[in-house]
Amino acid sequence: MKILNIVGARPNFMKVAPLHRAFRAYPAIDSKIVHTGQHYDARMSDVFFNQLDLPQPDYYLGVAGGTHTQQTAEIMLKFEEVMTRERPDWVLVVGDVTSTLACALVAVRMGVRVAHVEAGLRSGDRSMPEEINRILTDNLSDLLFVTEQAGLDNLRREGIADAKIRFVGNVMIDSLVHYRQKASELNTVGALGLTPGGYVLMTMHRPANVDAEAGLTSIVQIVADTAPHKTVLFPLHPRTRANLVRFGLMDRLTAIPNVQLLEPQGYLEFLNLMEHAAIVITDSGGIQEETTYLQVPCLTFRDSTERPVTVELGTNQLLVDLNAETVRHHVAAILNGRAKAGVVPPRWDGEAAGRVASILEETSTQ
């Protein structure tokens, strides 16, 4: 049985790494990796292949830049050529990026079954391209692998047949569990001259937060308000850095004492920084999950989340807008010992990829 695993953007690599590793345990499964090139900056792509022990992709499509529509069209055209050559039994897509939907569309058109890992997540916000990608990919897929109860509820509410749905857990957590010790040995925290619990880690990259001057001004104020209490570590996403420069805010940010601006970090470095942070302030989806597993307080700038279990059971708190006063209140509460308690959600145990591999292997005899 041949499976083509699709990666394109940074979060995909952490999800496909444990899946590819699990597939290799089955002699009957031929697992290949197709990298669309959606993230083309080496700091956002190549480093993850190296750190996650992923082999060089069997195919690199080299699609980079352009609008969502342009990327989707170019990925589809180039992936169609791969499909014609490989004739796989399954195309496995993960998450909600442009590459996920584009490759699922090609597979369905060519009569090849699609497996969607991290299915059923919904934010309720259709202005987000990721939400549209999730909905469409789930409706195209033959097997839907779910990370949390909300995913099951959403798919059933949308009329997806139970026979297609499997609750397997979270493959992102598989990578965290597998590489946690390796990340610890790097000791990125110590290399930056910091101590565990002595800093706040911040990441911001979503267009709704960083593409407007008002949003970025609030982010700079949040950094300024937090830095007197803890060192603020702020790895700058290329989009965020470019907009800080464009709006003339970079000098103001760099002038704040007790702030370390970093380049985008590798997976292992960031995992070490995340594990030992006093607080993580972010607008990332995946970080909500990872901090929940690590039991690190997380403040997320989103008016909704497709991962509600991180709020219901985990350590995540949603903050509807970039209000500096609200953040000051939450940071003070956490630093004074009033952090939101959390537990690790069901099946977030490092074994999700093995469940996916076992289920797909069973289909080879059906």
Side-chain angles (χ1 to χ4, degrees):
M1 180 171 63
K2 184 183 292 184
I3 300 174
L4 296 185
N5 304 279
I6 310 303
V7 298
R10 175 175 175 148
N12 299 162
F13 309 130
M14 288 88 87
K15 297 166 188 172
V16 165
L19 289 162
H20 184 65
R21 189 166 56 246
F23 292 149
R24 285 185 298 180
Y26 290 88
I29 295 180
D30 178 14
S31 174
K32 294 189 174 184
I33 297 174
V34 179
H35 186 352
T36 67
Q38 185 180 333
H39 268 174
Y40 49 95
D41 186 323
R43 293 168 301 175
M44 305 291 282
S45 177
D46 293 354
V47 67
F48 288 91
F49 270 87
N50 296 332
Q51 291 192 343
L52 297 171
D53 305 317
L54 278 167
Q56 286 301 305
D58 297 274
Y59 293 93
Y60 181 74
L61 305 187
V63 178
T67 66
H68 290 292
T69 301
Q70 290 168 331
Q71 278 196 338
T72 301
E74 192 171 353
I75 290 169
M76 290 180 70
L77 288 169
K78 292 189 174 183
F79 185 55
E80 185 177 51
E81 296 175 8
V82 175
M83 290 285 287
T84 300
R85 178 181 300 179
E86 289 291 338
R87 299 192 179 278
D89 299 285
W90 286 93
V91 169
L92 184 143
V93 294
V94 297
D96 53 21
V97 300
T98 301
S99 302
T100 298
L101 175 59
C103 292
L105 282 166
V106 173
V108 169
R109 290 281 178 86
M110 300 183 74
V112 174
R113 291 177 292 181
V114 176
H116 186 202
V117 173
E118 203 180 74
L121 300 183
R122 300 288 184 269
S123 69
D125 181 1
R126 292 202 177 198
S127 69
M128 297 173 62
E130 296 89 347
E131 183 78 350
I132 302 302
N133 293 343
R134 294 180 201 116
I135 293 168
L136 295 178
T137 302
D138 284 343
N139 278 273
L140 295 172
S141 296
D142 299 275
L143 272 177
L144 299 100
F145 295 107
V146 177
T147 61
E148 61 173 272
Q149 182 63 45
L152 297 174
D153 298 339
N154 291 331
L155 293 174
R156 287 165 178 162
R157 184 170 58 250
E158 293 171 11
I160 304 294
D162 281 348
K164 294 183 175 183
I165 304 169
R166 302 288 190 279
F167 178 31
V168 295
N170 194 331
V171 294
M172 178 80 88
I173 303 305
D174 288 19
S175 278
L176 189 157
V177 170
H178 187 78
Y179 292 104
R180 191 174 185 179
Q181 180 58 37
K182 189 175 180 181
S184 178
E185 291 167 2
L186 278 181
N187 190 23
T188 306
V189 173
L192 291 172
L194 300 168
T195 57
Y199 59 92
V200 171
L201 180 61
M202 187 167 184
T203 77
M204 302 295 282
H205 74 283
R206 289 193 177 271
N209 290 329
V210 304
D211 279 3
E213 184 175 359
L216 277 175
T217 300
S218 294
I219 290 169
V220 172
Q221 186 61 51
I222 288 165
V223 173
D225 290 343
T226 305
H229 307 286
K230 297 278 185 182
T231 298
V232 176
L233 289 187
F234 195 172
L236 288 177
H237 187 283
R239 181 189 200 105
T240 306
R241 180 182 289 276
N243 284 332
L244 283 165
V245 172
R246 179 160 68 101
F247 293 120
L249 292 167
M250 183 61 81
D251 288 345
R252 181 177 164 192
L253 180 60
T254 56
I256 301 171
N258 206 27
V259 175
Q260 292 191 37
L261 302 181
L262 307 176
E263 293 298 320
Q265 298 294 291
Y267 175 67
L268 298 178
E269 290 87 353
F270 193 79
L271 174 54
N272 185 242
L273 294 175
M274 188 164 43
E275 178 167 9
H276 297 293
I279 308 168
V280 175
I281 300 175
T282 189
D283 58 7
S284 164
I287 289 174
Q288 299 172 54
E289 296 177 322
E290 291 166 320
T291 51
T292 279
Y293 183 86
L294 294 169
Q295 298 291 278
V296 174
C298 182
L299 303 177
T300 304
F301 287 107
R302 300 270 299 276
D303 55 11
S304 62
T305 179
E306 64 279 5
R307 297 165 169 88
V309 74
T310 65
V311 177
E312 295 162 2
L313 297 181
T315 57
N316 185 30
Q317 292 177 267
L318 290 185
L319 304 180
V320 174
D321 54 38
L322 290 165
N323 184 294
E325 179 60 36
T326 301
V327 178
R328 278 197 296 271
H329 168 77
H330 283 285
V331 168
I334 292 168
L335 296 181
N336 287 323
R338 299 195 302 277
K340 177 177 177 283
V343 298
V344 177
R347 295 202 171 186
W348 289 24
D349 55 6
E351 303 294 334
R355 297 183 188 107
V356 171
S358 176
I359 291 166
L360 284 173
E361 195 273 340
E362 289 173 5
T363 69
S364 64
T365 61
Q366 296 175 0

